[in-house]
Each structure stands twice: as structure tokens, then as C-alpha cells.
Coordinates of all heavy atoms in Angstrom, one line a residue:
F894 N -63.7 7.2 74.7 CA -63.5 5.8 74.9 C -62.4 5.6 76.0 O -62.6 4.7 76.9 CB -63.0 5.1 73.6 CG -62.8 3.6 73.8 CD1 -63.8 2.7 73.8 CD2 -61.5 3.1 74.0 CE1 -63.5 1.3 73.9 CE2 -61.2 1.8 74.1 CZ -62.2 0.9 74.1
Q895 N -61.3 6.4 75.9 CA -60.3 6.2 76.9 C -60.8 6.5 78.3 O -60.5 5.8 79.3 CB -59.1 7.1 76.5 CG -58.4 6.7 75.2 CD -57.2 7.6 74.9 OE1 -57.2 8.7 75.3 NE2 -56.4 7.1 74.0
Q896 N -61.7 7.6 78.4 CA -62.3 7.9 79.7 C -63.2 6.8 80.2 O -63.2 6.5 81.4 CB -63.0 9.2 79.6 CG -63.5 9.7 80.9 CD -62.5 10.0 82.0 OE1 -61.4 10.5 81.6 NE2 -62.7 9.7 83.2
M897 N -64.0 6.2 79.3 CA -64.8 5.2 79.6 C -64.1 4.0 80.2 O -64.5 3.3 81.2 CB -65.7 4.7 78.4 CG -66.6 3.6 78.7 SD -67.1 2.8 77.2 CE -65.6 1.8 76.8
I898 N -63.0 3.6 79.6 CA -62.2 2.5 80.1 C -61.6 2.8 81.5 O -61.7 1.9 82.4 CB -61.0 2.2 79.2 CG1 -61.6 1.6 77.8 CG2 -60.0 1.2 79.8 CD1 -62.3 0.3 77.9
L899 N -61.2 4.1 81.7 CA -60.7 4.5 83.0 C -61.8 4.4 84.1 O -61.5 3.9 85.2 CB -60.1 5.9 82.9 CG -58.9 6.1 82.2 CD1 -58.5 7.6 82.1 CD2 -57.7 5.3 82.8
V900 N -63.0 4.8 83.7 CA -64.1 4.7 84.7 C -64.4 3.3 85.0 O -64.7 2.9 86.2 CB -65.4 5.5 84.1 CG1 -66.6 5.2 85.0 CG2 -65.1 6.9 84.0
A901 N -64.5 2.4 84.0 CA -64.7 1.0 84.3 C -63.6 0.4 85.1 O -63.9 -0.5 86.0 CB -64.8 0.3 83.0
Q902 N -62.4 0.8 84.9 CA -61.3 0.2 85.6 C -61.1 0.8 87.0 O -60.4 0.2 87.9 CB -59.9 0.4 84.8 CG -59.8 -0.4 83.6 CD -58.6 -0.1 82.7 OE1 -58.1 1.1 82.9 NE2 -58.1 -1.0 82.0
S903 N -61.7 1.9 87.3 CA -61.6 2.6 88.6 C -62.3 1.9 89.8 O -62.0 2.2 90.9 CB -62.1 4.0 88.5 OG -63.6 4.0 88.4
G904 N -63.2 1.0 89.5 CA -64.0 0.4 90.5 C -65.3 1.2 90.7 O -66.1 0.7 91.6
A905 N -65.6 2.2 90.0 CA -66.8 3.0 90.2 C -68.1 2.2 90.0 O -69.1 2.3 90.7 CB -66.8 4.2 89.3
I906 N -68.0 1.2 89.1 CA -69.2 0.3 88.8 C -69.0 -1.1 89.4 O -69.7 -2.0 89.2 CB -69.5 0.2 87.3 CG1 -68.4 -0.5 86.6 CG2 -69.9 1.6 86.8 CD1 -68.8 -0.9 85.1
G907 N -67.9 -1.2 90.3 CA -67.6 -2.4 90.9 C -66.8 -3.3 90.0 O -66.2 -2.9 89.1
E908 N -66.9 -4.6 90.2 CA -66.2 -5.6 89.4 C -67.0 -5.9 88.1 O -68.2 -6.1 88.2 CB -66.0 -6.9 90.2 CG -65.3 -8.1 89.4 CD -65.2 -9.3 90.1 OE1 -65.6 -9.3 91.3 OE2 -64.7 -10.3 89.5
V909 N -66.3 -5.8 87.0 CA -67.0 -6.0 85.7 C -67.3 -7.5 85.5 O -66.4 -8.3 85.6 CB -66.1 -5.5 84.5 CG1 -66.8 -5.8 83.2 CG2 -65.9 -4.0 84.6
V910 N -68.6 -7.7 85.4 CA -69.1 -9.1 85.3 C -69.5 -9.5 83.8 O -69.3 -10.6 83.3 CB -70.2 -9.4 86.2 CG1 -70.7 -10.8 86.1 CG2 -69.8 -9.2 87.7
D911 N -70.1 -8.5 83.1 CA -70.6 -8.8 81.8 C -70.4 -7.6 80.9 O -70.6 -6.5 81.3 CB -72.1 -9.1 81.9 CG -72.8 -9.3 80.5 OD1 -72.7 -10.4 80.0 OD2 -73.4 -8.4 80.0
I912 N -70.1 -7.8 79.7 CA -70.0 -6.8 78.6 C -70.8 -7.3 77.4 O -70.6 -8.4 76.9 CB -68.5 -6.5 78.2 CG1 -67.7 -6.1 79.4 CG2 -68.5 -5.5 77.1 CD1 -66.2 -5.9 79.1
S913 N -71.7 -6.4 76.9 CA -72.4 -6.7 75.7 C -72.3 -5.6 74.7 O -72.5 -4.4 75.0 CB -73.9 -6.8 76.1 OG -74.7 -7.1 75.0
A914 N -71.9 -6.0 73.5 CA -71.6 -4.9 72.5 C -72.1 -5.4 71.1 O -72.1 -6.6 70.8 CB -70.1 -4.7 72.4
T915 N -72.6 -4.5 70.3 CA -73.1 -4.8 69.0 C -72.6 -3.8 68.0 O -72.6 -2.6 68.2 CB -74.6 -4.7 69.0 OG1 -75.1 -5.7 69.9 CG2 -75.2 -5.0 67.6
V916 N -72.1 -4.4 66.9 CA -71.6 -3.6 65.7 C -72.1 -4.2 64.4 O -71.7 -5.3 64.0 CB -70.0 -3.5 65.6 CG1 -69.6 -2.6 64.5 CG2 -69.4 -3.0 67.0
T917 N -73.1 -3.5 63.8 CA -73.7 -4.0 62.6 C -73.8 -3.0 61.5 O -74.0 -1.8 61.8 CB -75.1 -4.6 62.8 OG1 -75.9 -3.6 63.4 CG2 -75.0 -5.8 63.8
N918 N -73.7 -3.4 60.3 CA -73.8 -2.6 59.1 C -74.7 -3.4 58.1 O -74.7 -4.6 58.1 CB -72.5 -2.2 58.4 CG -71.4 -1.8 59.4 OD1 -70.5 -2.5 59.6 ND2 -71.6 -0.6 59.9
L919 N -75.4 -2.7 57.3 CA -76.1 -3.4 56.2 C -75.5 -3.0 54.9 O -75.5 -1.9 54.4 CB -77.6 -2.9 56.1 CG -78.5 -3.4 57.3 CD1 -80.0 -2.9 57.1 CD2 -78.5 -4.9 57.3
L920 N -74.8 -4.0 54.3 CA -74.2 -3.9 53.0 C -75.2 -4.3 51.9 O -76.0 -5.2 52.1 CB -72.9 -4.6 52.9 CG -71.8 -4.3 53.9 CD1 -70.6 -5.1 53.7 CD2 -71.4 -2.8 53.8
P921 N -75.1 -3.8 50.7 CA -75.9 -4.3 49.6 C -75.8 -5.8 49.4 O -74.7 -6.3 49.6 CB -75.5 -3.5 48.4 CG -74.8 -2.2 49.0 CD -74.2 -2.7 50.3
D922 N -76.8 -6.5 49.0 CA -76.8 -7.9 48.7 C -75.7 -8.3 47.8 O -75.2 -9.4 47.8 CB -78.2 -8.4 48.3 CG -79.2 -8.2 49.4 OD1 -78.9 -8.2 50.5 OD2 -80.4 -8.2 49.0
D923 N -75.4 -7.5 46.7 CA -74.5 -7.8 45.7 C -73.0 -7.4 46.1 O -72.2 -7.4 45.3 CB -74.8 -7.2 44.4 CG -74.9 -5.7 44.5 OD1 -74.8 -5.1 45.6 OD2 -75.1 -5.0 43.4
T924 N -72.8 -7.1 47.4 CA -71.4 -6.7 47.8 C -70.5 -7.9 47.6 O -70.8 -9.0 47.9 CB -71.4 -6.3 49.3 OG1 -72.2 -5.2 49.4 CG2 -70.0 -6.0 49.8
D925 N -69.3 -7.7 47.1 CA -68.3 -8.7 46.9 C -68.0 -9.4 48.2 O -67.9 -8.8 49.3 CB -67.1 -8.0 46.5 CG -65.9 -9.0 46.3 OD1 -65.9 -9.8 45.4 OD2 -65.0 -9.0 47.2
T926 N -68.0 -10.8 48.1 CA -67.7 -11.6 49.4 C -66.5 -11.2 50.1 O -66.5 -11.1 51.3 CB -67.7 -13.1 48.9 OG1 -68.9 -13.5 48.4 CG2 -67.4 -14.0 50.2
G927 N -65.4 -11.0 49.4 CA -64.2 -10.6 50.1 C -64.3 -9.3 50.8 O -63.8 -9.2 51.9
F928 N -64.9 -8.3 50.2 CA -65.1 -7.0 50.9 C -66.0 -7.2 52.1 O -65.7 -6.6 53.2 CB -65.7 -5.9 50.0 CG -65.9 -4.6 50.6 CD1 -64.9 -3.8 50.7 CD2 -67.2 -4.3 51.1 CE1 -65.1 -2.5 51.3 CE2 -67.5 -3.1 51.7 CZ -66.4 -2.2 51.8
A929 N -67.1 -8.0 52.0 CA -68.1 -8.1 53.1 C -67.4 -8.8 54.3 O -67.5 -8.5 55.4 CB -69.2 -9.0 52.6
N930 N -66.5 -9.8 54.0 CA -65.8 -10.5 55.1 C -64.8 -9.7 55.7 O -64.5 -9.8 56.9 CB -65.2 -11.9 54.6 CG -66.3 -12.9 54.3 OD1 -67.5 -12.8 54.7 ND2 -66.0 -13.9 53.5
E931 N -64.2 -8.8 54.9 CA -63.2 -7.9 55.5 C -63.9 -6.9 56.4 O -63.3 -6.6 57.5 CB -62.5 -7.1 54.3 CG -61.4 -6.2 54.7 CD -60.7 -5.5 53.6 OE1 -60.3 -6.3 52.6 OE2 -60.4 -4.4 53.6
R932 N -65.1 -6.4 56.0 CA -65.8 -5.6 56.9 C -66.2 -6.3 58.2 O -66.2 -5.7 59.3 CB -67.0 -5.0 56.2 CG -67.9 -4.1 57.0 CD -67.2 -2.9 57.5 NE -66.9 -2.0 56.5 CZ -67.6 -1.1 55.9 NH1 -68.8 -0.9 56.4 NH2 -67.2 -0.3 54.9
M933 N -66.6 -7.5 58.1 CA -66.8 -8.3 59.3 C -65.6 -8.4 60.2 O -65.7 -8.2 61.5 CB -67.3 -9.7 58.9 CG -68.7 -9.9 58.4 SD -70.0 -9.6 59.8 CE -69.7 -11.1 60.7
M934 N -64.5 -8.6 59.7 CA -63.3 -8.7 60.4 C -63.0 -7.3 61.2 O -62.7 -7.3 62.3 CB -62.0 -8.9 59.6 CG -62.0 -10.4 59.1 SD -60.6 -10.6 57.9 CE -59.2 -10.2 59.0
E935 N -63.3 -6.2 60.5 CA -63.1 -4.9 61.1 C -64.1 -4.8 62.2 O -63.8 -4.3 63.3 CB -63.3 -3.8 60.1 CG -63.2 -2.5 60.6 CD -63.4 -1.4 59.6 OE1 -63.5 -1.7 58.4 OE2 -63.4 -0.2 60.0
N936 N -65.4 -5.1 62.0 CA -66.4 -5.0 63.0 C -66.1 -5.8 64.3 O -66.4 -5.5 65.4 CB -67.8 -5.4 62.5 CG -68.3 -4.4 61.6 OD1 -67.8 -3.3 61.3 ND2 -69.5 -4.8 60.9
F937 N -65.4 -7.0 64.1 CA -65.0 -7.8 65.2 C -64.1 -7.1 66.1 O -64.1 -7.3 67.4 CB -64.3 -9.1 64.8 CG -65.2 -10.3 64.6 CD1 -65.6 -10.8 63.3 CD2 -65.8 -10.9 65.7 CE1 -66.4 -11.9 63.1 CE2 -66.6 -12.0 65.5 CZ -66.9 -12.5 64.2
S938 N -63.3 -6.2 65.6 CA -62.2 -5.5 66.3 C -62.7 -4.7 67.4 O -62.1 -4.6 68.5 CB -61.3 -4.7 65.4 OG -60.8 -5.5 64.3
Y939 N -63.8 -4.0 67.3 CA -64.3 -3.1 68.2 C -64.8 -3.7 69.6 O -64.3 -3.3 70.6 CB -65.4 -2.3 67.6 CG -65.0 -1.4 66.4 CD1 -65.4 -1.8 65.2 CD2 -64.2 -0.4 66.6 CE1 -65.0 -1.0 64.0 CE2 -63.7 0.4 65.6 CZ -64.2 0.1 64.2 OH -63.7 0.8 63.2

């Protein structure tokens, strides 16, 4: 990840115009609401 950031910042791919990222997990339907929302918060971080 650190090398990827350096490559992106180096100008090798030019000026960064768009970033698209996806982080998803499938939790069981009966997962506690608090835990599910906590996992969502964690996924947002990436």
C-alpha cells in the first residue's frame, strides 16, 4: 500500500482524477445491529 501511494504521487499515472474503491462483507442476517454498524464504520476507513 505504501508503495502504491508513492507511485500514484510520483506522477507516473499523471494527475489523479478519479478513485473507485469497494469494501464489502456478508454478515449473517441475525448479526447484532451494533456490531454490523461497527463493521460498516471500519469498512469506511479503507
Side-chain angles (χ1 to χ4, degrees):
F894 180 82
Q895 293 181 338
Q896 184 63 36
M897 181 200 73
I898 294 297
L899 289 175
V900 171
Q902 292 174 332
S903 71
I906 63 168
E908 181 182 354
V909 175
V910 176
D911 176 83
I912 300 175
S913 176
T915 299
V916 181
T917 58
N918 316 107
L919 288 181
L920 299 181
D922 292 338
D923 60 353
T924 300
D925 174 77
T926 297
F928 179 81
N930 289 344
E931 185 174 316
R932 178 61 65 87
M933 282 290 292
M934 288 176 62
E935 180 181 353
N936 287 352
F937 268 110
S938 303
Y939 297 107

